[in-house]
Amino acid sequence: MAMSGHPSGRRGRNRAPMADINVTPLVDVMLVLLIIFMVTAPLLVTGVPVNLPETRAKGLDQDAKPTVVSIDRDGAIYVDEDVVSDADLPDRLAEIVSANAGKPDAPQIFLRADTALDYGRVMRVMGELNRAGLNKVALVSTGGQDGADDVSAGSE
């Protein structure tokens, strides 16, 4: 007759409890969260849907978060994600200038305009930016190869 018991020959009374943490479930959860953030992060970049023109120009390096002025297909103007009428645009731009008055560098403005807009509409907005003293304007376009948003040109 065989004796039944632990393979090591010991009974369970003398074993110390296991003090190691199983990190495999933690790693699995972290990898899933990483994938979720990698997929959703590009969707959070732009709030106003604009069909940007394509260009082969190189992008500019950015340190600070710029103010984004967008003009959609219908000609509506957005400052960041807030709709601004043509009459209220100079006041809103003056607020941006006054908020950055004590800083040594002028605030950076990204101008995003839909390809369906006429040139005059975009130039009127650029004229308002210039009149407000916001001369550090960069035009945003999509890259020809990958279709990602790219800051393609700037003016001082």
Side-chain angles (χ1 to χ4, degrees):
M1 199 186 242
M3 296 180 70
S4 63
H6 288 346
S8 66
R10 291 186 176 177
R11 305 246 182 219
R13 288 181 230 136
N14 296 336
R15 262 187 12 194
M18 187 173 86
D20 295 334
I21 296 174
N22 188 1
V23 296
T24 304
L26 175 69
V27 171
D28 290 343
V29 169
M30 294 306 292
L31 287 175
V32 169
L33 288 175
L34 177 67
I35 291 170
I36 289 171
F37 286 126
M38 287 172 52
V39 169
T40 58
L43 301 176
L44 301 175
V45 172
T46 59
V48 180
V50 174
N51 185 15
L52 296 172
E54 292 184 8
T55 183
R56 291 178 22 188
K58 295 180 181 177
L60 299 175
D61 294 331
Q62 278 303 115
D63 295 333
K65 183 180 182 300
T67 302
V68 179
V69 177
S70 303
I71 311 170
D72 68 1
R73 178 178 289 270
D74 300 325
I77 302 171
Y78 297 83
V79 175
D80 288 329
E81 293 186 15
D82 302 327
V83 179
V84 178
S85 67
D86 288 340
D88 294 336
L89 182 62
D91 296 333
R92 184 65 186 269
L93 296 176
E95 289 174 12
I96 294 169
V97 170
S98 64
N100 292 305
K103 297 181 181 174
D105 293 332
Q108 176 72 46
I109 305 293
F110 282 0
L111 180 60
R112 301 174 65 236
D114 196 284
T115 57
L117 290 173
D118 64 330
Y119 183 69
R121 177 74 174 141
V122 177
M123 288 308 298
R124 281 192 293 274
V125 173
M126 287 185 72
E128 288 296 328
L129 290 167
N130 188 8
R131 192 175 80 162
L134 298 169
N135 297 325
K136 200 171 179 184
V137 178
L139 304 176
V140 180
S141 64
T142 58
Q145 292 82 7
D146 57 1
D149 285 0
D150 192 21
V151 181
S152 61
S155 64
E156 286 286 327

